[in-house]
């Protein structure tokens, strides 16, 4: 849990949050936004979402944000927010709960990758079956057609229903 006042100063962090990001409470409390636990290369994304957090405009299911540990490792956090008020009911800041969702994000990426590989494998299998049908059945049907045409040409002297039946088979 982390608390930020309306001016963007860190006013509270609990032990679990400190362990999650790797910085001690003394290095976090009193710091002004942008906080050291957010990746500098992702500040544009963080800035827009921090404003939502500060205003209390966080969706009920939270906001997913990238975080940075003191050792440089990155992780994803799901941030939920609640308004902090003083005894008179005046808003003084936001209290934010952060959960490390890196494992969930990794699992989602793995599922997307596996799904993509499955779709590619299915498409390759369809192409193989299509080619097999074209090559084997198509070739046999073409051979049958030529054989029937030869039989019909050999039967020019024969009249009647046999020739008509053969022409019917050929059209099929």
């Amino acid at each position: 849990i982390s608390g930020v006042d309306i001016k963007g100063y860190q006013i509270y962090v609990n032990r679990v949050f400190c362990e999650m990001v790797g910085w001690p409470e003394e290095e976090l409390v009193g710091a002004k936004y942008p906080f050291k636990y957010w990746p500098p290369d992702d500040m544009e994304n963080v800035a827009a979402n921090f404003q939502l957090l500060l205003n209390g405009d966080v969706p009920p299911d939270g906001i997913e944000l990238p975080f940075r540990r003191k050792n440089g490792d990155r992780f994803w956090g799901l941030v939920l927010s609640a308004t902090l008020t003083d005894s008179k009911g005046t808003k003084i800041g936001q209290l934010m709960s952060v959960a490390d969702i890196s494992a969930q994000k990794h699992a989602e990426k793995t599922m997307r990758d596996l799904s993509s590989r499955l779709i590619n494998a299915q498409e390759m299998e369809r192409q193989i079956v299509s080619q097999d049908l074209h090559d084997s059945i198509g070739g046999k049907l073409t051979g049958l057609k030529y054989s029937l045409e030869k039989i019909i040409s050999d039967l020019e002297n024969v009249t009647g229903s046999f020739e008509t039946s053969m022409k019917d088979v050929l059209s099929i």
Side-chain angles (χ1 to χ4, degrees):
I1 294 184
S2 167
V4 180
D5 70 12
I6 57 175
K7 295 178 183 174
Y9 284 92
Q10 189 94 54
I11 56 174
Y12 174 77
V13 289
N14 70 358
R15 178 189 53 79
V16 174
F17 183 81
C18 290
E19 290 172 1
M20 190 183 323
V21 296
W23 275 282
E25 178 182 352
E26 302 78 39
E27 289 186 46
L28 297 177
V29 173
K32 183 162 175 48
Y33 170 83
F35 304 119
K36 50 178 81 179
Y37 46 77
W38 280 326
D41 59 331
D42 221 346
M43 269 308 166
E44 189 174 314
N45 175 38
V46 171
N49 285 303
F50 181 70
Q51 200 55 52
L52 291 175
L53 292 167
L54 207 52
N55 294 340
D57 294 332
V58 176
D61 55 347
I63 296 176
E64 294 179 2
L65 285 175
F67 282 80
R68 178 175 64 112
R69 290 186 171 89
K70 187 173 185 175
N71 68 7
D73 290 347
R74 292 175 65 116
F75 70 96
W76 281 94
L78 177 64
V79 183
L80 301 172
S81 180
T83 302
L84 288 172
T85 57
D86 63 14
S87 59
K88 297 176 185 170
T90 305
K91 179 179 175 177
I92 59 170
Q94 290 295 123
L95 189 63
M96 292 169 248
S97 172
V98 181
D100 184 341
I101 59 168
S102 298
Q104 175 187 338
K105 296 289 270 185
H106 179 71
E108 288 171 358
K109 182 184 181 316
T110 301
M111 288 297 291
R112 282 192 305 274
D113 291 348
L114 289 174
S115 178
S116 176
R117 288 176 52 197
L118 177 62
I119 289 169
N120 289 339
Q122 287 173 334
E123 185 58 33
M124 285 177 53
E125 185 64 24
R126 283 187 193 105
Q127 289 174 354
I128 290 168
V129 168
S130 172
Q131 189 66 43
D132 284 350
L133 286 173
H134 179 269
D135 291 349
S136 65
I137 294 175
K140 290 177 183 176
L141 288 174
T142 301
L144 185 59
K145 176 184 183 279
Y146 289 136
S147 296
L148 289 172
E149 286 174 344
K150 181 172 182 341
I151 292 170
I152 289 171
S153 72
D154 290 347
L155 293 174
E156 286 180 353
N157 297 336
V158 178
T159 59
S161 67
F162 184 71
E163 183 180 358
T164 303
S165 295
M166 290 300 287
K167 286 183 177 178
D168 288 345
V169 170
L170 180 61
S171 69
I172 293 172

